Amino acid sequence: MKKLTKLEFKWICYDIGNSAFILLVSTILPIYFNSLSDAAGVAESDYLSYWSYATSISTIIVALLGPILGTIADYRGNKKKVFLSSALLGALALACFAIPSHWLSFLVLYICAKICYSLSLVFYDSMLVDVTSEDHMDSVSSQGYAFGYIGSCIPFVISLFIILASGLPMHTAMMIAFVLNAVWWIVFTLPLARAYKQKHYIEPERHVIHDTFARLGKTLSSIKKEKKIFLFLLAFFFFIDGVYTIIDLATAYGTSLGLDSTAARSALYPDRRFPCKSAVCQPFQDAGHRETDQDLYPGLFLYRMLCDPA
């Protein structure tokens, strides 16, 4: 396996940082939201519906904003700015999660944080072409995914200790956990933000807004002519939306069924383990001994075997 360059490692660092947010969202946050809604007299079934609506709203907004902001980020010098802005705003929203005392205001803040998190990934993923070579792209990407999930367990375990074993009042413990994960996110964002240089770009145009939408329309129309690209994007849309729906709602669903918080959190642990396999298998793919789909199809099958019974 080819050794990572400093820039490639710094790119991976952001995955380690932002994965702390999604692990918190998929485990602790639904339980905390449940406590807020329960205190306000919201029914258990409504709590799950509201959490689902919030997740759907953030997904729809990102689907609308992502292509537009992504096109703007293609201009020279813009990508780092929009990436850093979305990451820092997401971390700031996370740090403020303990401030709202009403379930609705908390849900609005959660939607904002989720939008910023998801948008940061749009720009982050597009940075990879400036970070590594085409023949090393699969390896760097898979290692970022795997080590991101592994690294996210560190602030998660510390947060669990603070919440369950520190003896602090619940609100105080949650506030510390939110700030801890926000700081973790920011700390692992800074190495990439400092080192990244945008190599692939277009020069700023005179009518930025008009030309941005014109280029976006041209891209969308050209995709329809490329059948393989169109089918890939369509398949990935449904795939990743399904995966994140499971991640976002598994704990909330378990809680609504009457599982205690520990059992509900454990529902996500298998999802934390599977990505580690990509880091183990990738060296063989790079060496030409394995094709990507040899790991893709078994992985999808195992994931279906876990999720379908639920």
Side-chain angles (χ1 to χ4, degrees):
M1 180 173 62
K2 183 180 176 182
K3 186 178 179 181
L4 292 172
T5 65
K6 290 183 178 180
L7 183 57
E8 289 169 346
F9 175 75
K10 290 175 181 179
W11 185 87
I12 289 174
C13 279
Y14 183 69
D15 227 321
I16 296 174
N18 75 69
S19 293
F21 170 77
I22 203 63
L23 182 51
L24 196 71
V25 165
S26 62
T27 53
I28 296 175
L29 212 59
I31 298 171
Y32 179 70
F33 174 68
N34 188 26
S35 67
L36 291 178
S37 60
D38 186 60
V42 176
E44 200 73 43
S45 58
D46 291 336
Y47 137 76
L48 181 60
S49 297
Y50 294 147
W51 187 254
S52 303
Y53 293 152
T55 301
S56 299
I57 290 170
S58 63
T59 300
I60 292 171
I61 293 175
V62 171
L64 295 174
L65 289 180
I68 299 172
L69 294 179
T71 306
I72 293 174
D74 287 339
Y75 291 118
R76 178 164 54 93
N78 279 3
K79 191 166 291 185
K80 181 191 289 189
K81 295 175 183 177
V82 292
F83 162 72
L84 193 58
S85 297
S86 56
L88 293 181
L89 286 174
L92 177 62
L94 171 58
C96 296
F97 273 176
I99 295 177
S101 57
H102 190 267
W103 66 268
L104 184 56
S105 54
F106 173 83
L107 210 56
V108 171
L109 189 59
Y110 162 70
I111 291 172
C112 293
K114 190 76 177 350
I115 290 171
C116 291
Y117 160 80
S118 299
L119 286 175
S120 76
L121 293 186
V122 173
F123 312 125
Y124 168 66
D125 290 340
S126 69
M127 288 177 170
L128 190 57
V129 296
D130 296 326
V131 168
T132 189
S133 59
E134 185 175 353
D135 62 336
H136 200 208
M137 206 169 289
D138 280 351
S139 176
V140 176
S141 177
S142 64
Q143 289 183 69
Y145 186 76
F147 291 116
Y149 277 101
I150 296 170
S152 67
C153 293
I154 297 174
F156 176 68
V157 170
I158 297 173
S159 298
L160 281 184
F161 174 79
I162 294 171
I163 295 168
L164 301 177
S166 66
L168 293 171
M170 179 56 65
H171 185 268
T172 302
M174 291 301 300
M175 179 177 63
I176 295 174
F178 292 148
V179 172
L180 168 66
N181 282 269
V183 170
W184 178 275
W185 188 355
I186 293 173
V187 166
F188 282 93
T189 299
L190 294 180
L192 177 61
R194 290 174 176 172
Y196 174 75
K197 302 293 183 184
Q198 188 174 353
K199 299 176 183 177
H200 297 83
Y201 56 83
I202 62 173
E203 293 294 337
E205 297 164 309
R206 186 173 182 180
H207 305 289
V208 175
I209 296 178
H210 174 271
D211 291 335
T212 293
F213 281 97
R215 286 195 301 114
L216 181 59
K218 185 178 180 180
T219 300
L220 293 176
S221 62
S222 64
I223 287 177
K224 292 188 292 186
K225 301 176 184 177
E226 300 289 343
K227 185 177 179 181
K228 289 185 178 180
I229 296 177
F230 175 76
L231 291 177
F232 169 78
L233 291 175
L234 187 65
F236 184 75
F237 172 80
F238 286 108
F239 167 75
I240 203 66
D241 189 54
V243 168
Y244 274 108
T245 298
I246 293 171
I247 290 175
D248 290 340
L249 298 181
T251 300
Y253 179 67
T255 303
S256 69
L257 291 178
L259 295 177
D260 60 36
S261 59
T262 302
R265 283 191 294 265
S266 68
L268 273 293
Y269 288 171
D271 181 74
R272 302 294 114 182
R273 296 191 185 103
F274 276 126
C276 304
K277 181 177 179 291
S278 63
V280 176
C281 296
Q282 192 61 46
F284 297 100
Q285 294 174 12
D286 289 344
H289 298 151
R290 295 176 67 91
E291 295 294 333
T292 303
D293 58 2
Q294 288 183 268
D295 293 312
L296 175 64
Y297 295 128
L300 290 174
F301 175 76
L302 289 173
Y303 201 77
R304 287 289 303 274
M305 290 292 290
L306 275 175
C307 299
D308 286 354

